[in-house]
Amino acid sequence: MAYTVSKLKEYSANALDKAAEKLLAALEKEAAEVKNESDWKGFRDRWMARKNGVLTQVNDLWLKAAPKDAKREAGQKVNELKQRVEQTIDAALERTKAGSGKSDAIDISLPGIQRSIGAEHPVIRTANEIVSVFRNLGYSVQEGPVVETDYYNFEALNFPPNHPARDTQDTLFIANQQSKPARDRLLLRTHTSPVQIRTMEKLKPPIRIVIPGKVHRNDPPDASHSPMFHQIEGLAVDTNITFGDLKGTLDHAMKALFGSSVKTHFRPSFFPFTEPSAEMMVSCFICGGSGKRGSEPCRPCKQTGWIEILGCGMVDPNVFEFVKDNGYDPKKVSGFAFGMGADRIALLKYGVDDIQLFFNGDVRFLRQFA
Ligand SMILES: [Zn+2]
């Protein structure tokens, strides 16, 4: 029960001392319960408030009510108590301040918070490695928009008007484009090849460029497909560029990327923007081309000893027709182009079996490459 001041029945020194003792015990007990500043304010008001504070009551009930001959002693006692109450209240405030100060204090001897330094994402690192191989051959880096027009993504790359690649099953189109002419309609580029046209519009031949970037296709995500992935494409245009230059360049690049012992192998293929076109395989850099890892079959090359790594070919003269005015007369210049998936090469290189792992953003997975 909270302490209340009661009238004194007698004013002997002993009775005054006893009453004072009781009051001080209550004061100490309440002071000990003060934990913060708002506790402290309540405590202070209970004891010091002019109207009905404990000290005021003491003044009224003990001092004013004292008989004349006891006034002097009662007055001394009340003054003494007043001082003790004030001191205790001040001390309680100091304690709450020191207490809150303690939790905010900085212990300079503690080790600092370590912020981990970021690292290149494995796909970006792979892309940078590929780019640097070509930079060392004198290629410059070109980039272009991810949101493209049909013209740059398809038409100028010699895709005929009804080519199935334009189907919405393959290509992600920006909505509400129907009122525009077909060639102006926007889409998420399905390859980095539009940058070939954009660069040839800007720069006169000879050119040697490498084009890294994000591309999108309408593929549902699974272990080997992602609606977003990364391509690296290359283009070289000059007079007298031959298929031999293409083979020599790519053979060198593969040796620089996967080791000097890898072999390359070309087989015919088709792309609208190259003629002739080829797919290039490299001898499996995981099993060394044997198709086996010890007694186990080599999965990445499906036991064939070869891994399909890129598409390539000689630039179709029809493509040059679109940039003929900037010096790309198909009768005077020739060139080769190639493109590969950075994600796929990263999967092979790091032995990862699910492309989704690259894009889920799980730090536990990504940290392994840091
Ligand atoms: Zn293999």
Side-chain angles (χ1 to χ4, degrees), residues 38-87:
S38 90
D39 287 354
W40 177 80
K41 280 181 181 159
F43 175 56
R44 176 198 61 191
D45 293 347
R46 173 163 149 69
W47 288 80
M48 309 262 286
R50 257 173 218 214
K51 205 181 162 189
N52 231 21
V54 173
L55 284 181
T56 304
Q57 290 177 47
V58 165
N59 206 53
D60 293 347
L61 296 174
W62 295 0
L63 186 57
K64 283 185 184 167
K68 239 180 188 167
D69 59 345
K71 273 236 161 60
R72 204 167 150 255
E73 242 181 297
Q76 271 178 2
K77 198 49 131 187
V78 168
N79 270 340
E80 211 182 288
L81 287 173
K82 221 179 198 169
Q83 275 183 14
R84 286 287 296 273
V85 169
E86 280 167 8
Q87 280 168 9

Side-chain angles (χ1 to χ4, degrees), residues 103-170:
S103 60
D104 292 343
I106 294 165
D107 181 348
I108 56 165
S109 68
L110 285 172
I113 298 164
Q114 245 191 358
R115 307 225 179 262
S116 44
I117 298 167
E120 275 180 323
H121 188 281
V123 171
I124 300 301
R125 183 192 293 174
T126 303
N128 286 343
E129 282 169 12
I130 298 166
V131 166
S132 82
V133 166
F134 288 96
R135 283 176 82 116
N136 290 342
L137 292 171
Y139 285 59
S140 67
V141 176
Q142 293 288 328
E143 288 178 300
V146 176
V147 177
E148 260 300 0
T149 60
D150 180 283
Y151 176 78
Y152 285 109
N153 197 75
F154 292 125
E155 186 180 332
L157 290 162
N158 201 34
F159 282 77
N162 293 314
H163 192 280
R166 281 195 182 83
D167 197 289
T168 51
Q169 282 182 9
D170 296 315

Side-chain angles (χ1 to χ4, degrees), residues 147-225:
V147 177
E148 260 300 0
T149 60
D150 180 283
Y151 176 78
Y152 285 109
N153 197 75
F154 292 125
E155 186 180 332
L157 290 162
N158 201 34
F159 282 77
N162 293 314
H163 192 280
R166 281 195 182 83
D167 197 289
T168 51
Q169 282 182 9
D170 296 315
T171 300
L172 294 161
F173 287 87
I174 306 293
N176 303 322
Q177 303 272 306
Q178 288 81 350
S179 60
K180 289 185 182 172
R183 55 156 51 184
D184 294 337
R185 289 181 195 168
L186 298 171
L187 47 83
L188 296 181
R189 69 178 178 191
T190 58
H191 46 188
T192 43
S193 315
V195 186
Q196 292 188 21
I197 304 296
R198 289 180 173 276
T199 305
M200 288 192 283
E201 285 178 347
K202 256 185 349 206
L203 305 174
K204 293 190 188 305
I207 55 164
R208 288 194 298 276
I209 58 169
V210 62
I211 307 157
K214 250 185 200 77
V215 303
H216 292 79
R217 289 191 195 168
N218 195 1
D219 280 329
D222 63 26
S224 49
H225 294 86

Side-chain angles (χ1 to χ4, degrees), residues 283-293 297-307:
S283 56
C284 180
F285 44 86
I286 291 147
C287 64
S290 68
K292 281 192 193 134
R293 298 167 86 180
C298 179
R299 276 201 303 153
C301 66
K302 301 187 182 85
Q303 303 177 61
T304 62
W306 293 94
I307 292 175

